[in-house]
Amino acid sequence: MFELNLSPAWADAVFKRSSVRRFLEAPQKSELEVLGQLCKKLSWQGISVRLFKGPGLKSVIKGTDVYAVIVAKNNTVPELEGYMGEALVLEAVSLGLDTCWLGAGFHPDIVNKNVNLQNDEHVNCVIAIGKANRPEFNPKRRSFEQLCGLDEKKLKELGPWQYAAVSSARVAPSAINMQPWNIEVTETTLSVLNKRVLIGKYAGVDRGICMLHAAVGAASLGRNPTWKKGEDGCQMRV
Ligand SMILES: Cc1cc2nc3c(=O)[nH]c(=O)nc-3n(C[C@H](O)[C@H](O)[C@H](O)COP(=O)(O)O)c2cc1C
């Protein structure tokens, strides 16, 4: 599970992205072709990522009508939706585009019809995509210490891949910025653990997003991360 070729370009993208809701325009055809190719690679293990242009987004999003829909089989773990969806986000950002994950900001009736949703499938989230004047990267996130029990200095002492992975995971987006995860990091592993939050509807998707960021960080230092799902979260070995 969670097998995916991680593009080296995504290592920078994690530190460039932030949610955009007001776009200047939709992506160009050539950009949609690149994203469309990636969607095919992301569509397996019970997940299908599909691009649409047209109605479906609510008015919280202005200036683009392009969005990706993450369709999931009902028996897949929600972390996979986040993992594959965030790969598309990071690729879009690498192309100079901007995005916004949406759990509430889309019309389910239109989207479900567009994807011809089957009884054994669901859509939790879509991702709006377009061009924008990218806002300054200024994420409001929990501190390193709150996140993993180690301050930045101690984390650096633990090792370079650990520092890269946690730094990247720390800036992952989540619904209402709840950051429903804790991170445990050792010599050889990094675990994204479940953290109880007030509104947990998207917590699984959020953790998958965080896992992709952690994997991208570890891969940027030559590691080859693999994931295993456990009772209280997911563990990455490098
Ligand atoms: C699973 C998920 C669902 C989200 N749903 C919405 C939404 O319905 N409407 C919205 O405006 N933003 C939504 N967001 C965006 C978050 O509010 C945003 O990622 C978070 O506040 C962190 O800000 P940043 O992405 O700019 O770093 C969602 C994000 C995630 C990951």
Side-chain angles (χ1 to χ4, degrees):
M1 225 192 299
F2 303 105
E3 284 90 1
L4 186 60
N5 276 334
L6 304 172
S7 161
W10 298 348
D12 284 338
V14 297
F15 298 109
K16 284 185 186 156
R17 65 145 299 286
S18 55
S19 295
V20 166
R21 296 171 184 85
R22 282 176 180 271
F23 295 87
L24 300 173
E25 59 183 7
Q28 305 294 315
K29 199 165 164 247
S30 59
E31 293 162 335
L32 289 177
E33 277 165 15
V34 176
L35 295 179
Q37 287 301 321
L38 179 63
C39 284
K40 285 186 201 157
K41 294 182 189 159
L42 299 174
S43 296
W44 70 309
Q45 306 178 99
I47 301 291
S48 167
V49 185
R50 305 200 29 209
L51 280 181
F52 289 91
K53 182 167 170 57
L57 299 177
K58 286 192 180 167
S59 59
V60 62
I61 298 297
K62 310 256 190 268
T64 189
D65 60 353
V66 167
Y67 58 94
V69 185
I70 320 292
V71 185
K73 292 278 182 206
N74 292 339
N75 59 3
T76 56
V77 297
E79 284 86 349
L80 266 177
E81 296 168 47
Y83 203 83
M84 297 305 174
E86 186 68 1
L88 189 70
V89 164
L90 297 181
E91 182 69 13
V93 171
S94 305
L95 292 174
L97 298 167
D98 284 286
T99 62
C100 188
W101 275 92
L102 296 167
F106 69 96
H107 296 289
D109 47 343
I110 300 177
V111 166
N112 293 352
K113 204 167 158 209
N114 278 351
V115 298
N116 188 22
L117 196 73
Q118 303 298 300
N119 286 337
D120 63 345
E121 295 173 335
H122 62 266
V123 172
N124 275 324
C125 293
V126 313
I127 299 166
I129 307 171
K131 271 199 203 323
N133 286 327
R134 179 170 293 158
E136 195 188 331
F137 177 69
N138 181 25
K140 293 175 180 53
R141 300 293 194 267
R142 288 153 68 211
S143 69
F144 282 100
E145 186 139 22
Q146 287 167 335
L147 187 62
C148 68
L150 299 173
D151 63 24
E152 209 169 342
K153 185 166 171 280
K154 289 208 183 93
L155 190 58
K156 278 183 183 160
E157 282 165 10
L158 184 60
W161 79 259
Q162 287 92 336
Y163 180 64
V166 176
S167 301
S168 176
R170 179 171 168 262
V171 297
S174 56
I176 337 178
N177 205 17
M178 298 277 265
Q179 306 164 63
W181 51 68
N182 286 315
I183 292 184
E184 204 175 82
V185 63
T186 70
E187 291 285 317
T188 53
T189 64
L190 180 149
S191 303
V192 175
L193 301 171
N194 307 345
K195 175 176 183 283
R196 278 180 69 92
V197 287
L198 205 56
I199 303 164
K201 185 172 176 198
Y202 301 105
V205 177
D206 290 336
R207 280 192 295 274
I209 296 173
C210 178
M211 287 165 59
L212 183 75
H213 277 225
V216 164
S220 73
L221 289 188
R223 301 289 166 149
N224 184 19
T226 55
W227 288 96
K228 202 172 141 195
K229 180 138 174 74
E231 279 290 293
D232 56 349
C234 294
Q235 187 177 73
M236 175 174 89
R237 288 194 164 271
V238 298

